[in-house]
């Protein structure tokens, strides 16, 4: 059963740090990257960051570049069907307020922040940055 489960959201102060986790399981990660998207109030969903599995170049949207880090745990199961990916965003701004989604876009040792390539989505988690 495919699962993408986000955790770590909530209310955070402006200037603070956010760490989100995505636990992904139930599908072959050799053919997928893990990405984070977000939807701010009144705006369309946008890509934030992605990381290929098992390795490859990471990508960051301009809105978080330089203050964000995406990483994965180093535990790789034999069939590569379980992974946890972390998104850390520093120096939070009120405009980072959004619902954040973990997603699995298709790709072999590559990733792209394209919704068209996403086969699996998490349910989303709310992050609110207080000013």
């Amino acid at each position: 059963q495919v699962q993408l489960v986000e955790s770590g959201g909530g209310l955070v102060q402006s200037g603070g740090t956010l760490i989100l986790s995505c636990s992904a399981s139930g599908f072959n990660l050799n053919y997928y990257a893990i990405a984070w998207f977000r939807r701010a109030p009144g705006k369309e969903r946008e890509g934030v960051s992605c990381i290929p599995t098992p390795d490859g170049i990471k990508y960051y949207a301009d809105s978080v570049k330089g203050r964000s880090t995406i990483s994965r745990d180093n535990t790789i199961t034999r069939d590569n069907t379980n992974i946890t990916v972390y998104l850390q965003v520093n120096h939070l701004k009120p405009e980072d307020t959004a619902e954040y989604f973990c997603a699995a876009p298709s790709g072999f040792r590559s990733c792209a922040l394209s919704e068209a390539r996403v086969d699996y989505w998490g349910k989303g988690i709310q992050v609110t940055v207080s000013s």
Side-chain angles (χ1 to χ4, degrees):
Q1 180 182 2
V2 174
Q3 286 189 315
L4 291 166
V5 181
E6 303 95 341
S7 61
L11 178 65
V12 289
Q13 287 189 332
S14 181
T17 295
L18 169 72
I19 300 176
L20 297 176
S21 301
C22 172
S23 178
S25 62
F27 58 102
N28 191 334
L29 291 157
N30 287 321
Y31 304 105
Y32 289 92
I34 298 296
W36 287 95
F37 290 77
R38 69 185 183 184
R39 184 189 292 124
K43 296 186 177 180
E44 294 186 353
R45 187 159 51 188
E46 64 171 354
V48 178
S49 182
C50 63
I51 182 170
T53 62
D55 55 32
I57 298 174
K58 306 169 188 177
Y59 285 96
Y60 299 92
D62 289 342
S63 57
V64 299
K65 193 175 294 182
R67 61 186 183 98
S68 182
T69 302
I70 190 168
S71 61
R72 59 180 177 266
D73 63 21
N74 293 321
T75 302
I76 299 177
T77 60
R78 185 174 181 177
D79 56 3
N80 200 23
T81 58
N82 290 272
I83 196 170
T84 299
V85 171
Y86 306 94
L87 177 70
Q88 179 171 331
V89 183
N90 302 316
H91 307 296
L92 286 166
K93 308 172 184 179
E95 49 263 45
D96 291 318
T97 294
E99 188 172 15
Y100 285 73
F101 298 87
C102 179
S106 59
F108 178 69
R109 296 183 182 271
S110 66
C111 70
L113 294 174
S114 168
E115 289 196 40
R117 292 178 62 174
V118 174
D119 286 344
Y120 307 116
W121 289 95
K123 292 182 179 180
I125 192 167
Q126 180 65 36
V127 173
T128 302
V129 181
S130 62
S131 58

